Amino acid sequence: MSTFSEQYTYFQALAENVLETSVVLPQEAWSLKEMPRRLAEAMRYSLLCGGKRIRPVLLLAAYQSNQDDLSPVLPFAAAVECIHTYSLIHDDLPAMDNDDMRRGQPTNHKVYGEALAILAGDALLTLAFELMASSKLPRALDAVRILASRAGANGMIAGQTLDMDQKVSGNTAGLVRYIHRRKTADLITAPVEMGFVLGGADERVLTAARAYGQALGMAFQITDDLLDQKGNPEVTGKAIGRDKALGKLTWPAVVGVEQAYKDACTAVNEAVNAADNLGKNAGFFRSLANSIPKRVK
């Protein structure tokens, strides 16, 4: 039986392989048959710069809970990471968070300029749907709908909008919770739900999958907030203290560092409980959830 680490590495390697082939680098600066080489370079720069690949890993683990052959679902794994990468490129822009570093290297706009960074993000967003549209899986359209919904105006973009809008007032804790659920948890829930939908899971499992994804996403974002305060830049690959400098609303800022850590652990426990109903890979999902708070210990 494989360990959690071995399973994760296996899924991660599959994701890396399909991402490598998703954007082919043209030989010429431009031609009538291919995208401009400079655009491909900018897309690949951010898409292939590493990371945990947690979203495609979640999708592959979910699909494997019902199906043995993972090859039909690889385009969806790539699509989720394309969406995530585009969101990071745009998030780092001067008009957003104005970050200089991402995963230990200069952000996309620092290397390619703002205009090309925006276009690279746009291209990755569009590529995600092109990849999924090639699928012959019976419930492919359902999976496309899930990703579009959770990445769009009622999901990730909704969270990003309120995250940027410093004029919003009201229940601060409720506002931060809304931002976290939309900006982060929705794009973690999407691949879990998509993987089970594509694999043919029933509604009972899908309900548990949604609960797992939301809880895992909340734990993930609270942990990221804590890392922004006390993380090691050499490990996280980005500067610390950015949220405070930008006046961002974070969970530690609302409830304090100690309570934020407790709340992250509570969310992890919720995810672990939901994982009990996630089929043969339940152990993997439990281990993944339990690994989240360890990032700040």
Side-chain angles (χ1 to χ4, degrees):
M1 181 178 293
S2 299
T3 66
F4 165 71
S5 179
E6 289 170 340
Q7 280 185 288
Y8 196 104
T9 300
Y10 171 67
F11 293 138
Q12 193 176 35
L14 286 176
E16 292 293 349
N17 288 339
V18 70
L19 290 171
E20 173 65 39
T21 59
S22 294
V23 182
V24 178
L25 192 64
Q27 294 299 312
E28 302 177 51
W30 70 274
S31 74
L32 295 177
K33 297 181 179 181
E34 297 176 299
M35 73 176 77
R37 182 182 174 90
R38 190 72 170 160
L39 174 60
E41 288 176 353
M43 293 167 70
R44 287 172 61 88
Y45 178 80
S46 292
L47 187 63
L48 303 179
C49 74
K52 297 172 286 295
R53 306 301 192 196
I54 188 170
R55 291 158 189 83
V57 165
L58 284 167
L59 192 149
L60 294 170
Y63 186 77
Q64 193 191 59
S65 294
N66 293 281
Q67 306 290 338
D68 293 327
D69 181 12
L70 293 176
S71 57
V73 82
L74 290 175
F76 293 89
V80 172
E81 194 66 10
C82 284
I83 295 280
H84 176 55
T85 303
Y86 116 77
S87 74
L88 297 181
I89 293 174
H90 285 189
D91 195 48
D92 289 335
L93 289 167
M96 297 279 194
D97 284 353
N98 195 22
D99 271 321
D100 294 342
M101 300 293 292
R102 169 74 66 177
R103 293 173 178 166
Q105 66 181 31
T107 47
N108 198 291
H109 68 275
K110 285 293 180 181
V111 177
Y112 294 97
E114 291 181 43
L116 190 53
I118 292 170
L119 292 170
D122 293 344
L124 287 167
L125 169 59
T126 311
L127 175 62
F129 292 94
E130 182 180 348
L131 290 168
M132 293 186 291
S134 67
S135 175
K136 303 300 183 184
L137 288 172
R139 298 192 66 184
L141 185 58
D142 292 331
V144 171
R145 187 180 299 111
I146 290 166
L147 184 55
S149 175
R150 292 196 180 275
N154 291 309
M156 179 182 70
I157 299 300
Q160 177 70 352
T161 298
L162 291 189
D163 192 37
M164 298 301 300
D165 189 356
Q166 301 301 311
K167 297 178 182 178
V168 175
S169 60
N171 181 345
T172 303
L175 176 60
V176 177
R177 191 176 291 111
Y178 177 94
I179 292 171
H180 284 2
R181 285 192 180 279
R182 295 292 173 260
K183 184 178 178 181
T184 302
D186 269 358
L187 205 58
I188 285 180
T189 304
V192 184
E193 188 177 6
M194 290 166 68
F196 280 108
V197 163
L198 292 165
D202 59 32
E203 189 56 38
R204 180 186 65 85
V205 174
L206 293 177
T207 298
R210 296 181 196 106
Y212 176 85
Q214 286 293 305
L216 186 72
M218 294 299 285
F220 193 88
Q221 183 57 60
I222 294 172
T223 301
D224 260 13
D225 288 350
L226 290 167
L227 284 169
D228 185 71
Q229 289 199 12
K230 56 187 294 188
N232 181 349
E234 295 183 1
V235 176
T236 62
K238 55 185 179 180
I240 64 171
R242 290 287 297 164
D243 291 337
K244 184 177 181 180
L246 292 168
K248 289 289 188 72
L249 290 172
T250 67
W251 200 243
V254 173
V255 303
V257 170
E258 184 176 350
Q259 184 60 47
Y261 182 76
K262 291 179 180 178
D263 291 341
C265 292
T266 297
V268 165
N269 289 335
E270 291 174 358
V272 168
N273 291 335
D276 289 340
N277 297 307
L278 296 184
K280 71 178 184 180
N281 274 344
F284 176 84
F285 289 113
R286 282 193 293 268
S287 295
L288 179 54
N290 281 320
S291 71
I292 299 298
K294 296 175 182 177
R295 297 169 63 209
V296 294
K297 278 191 174 181

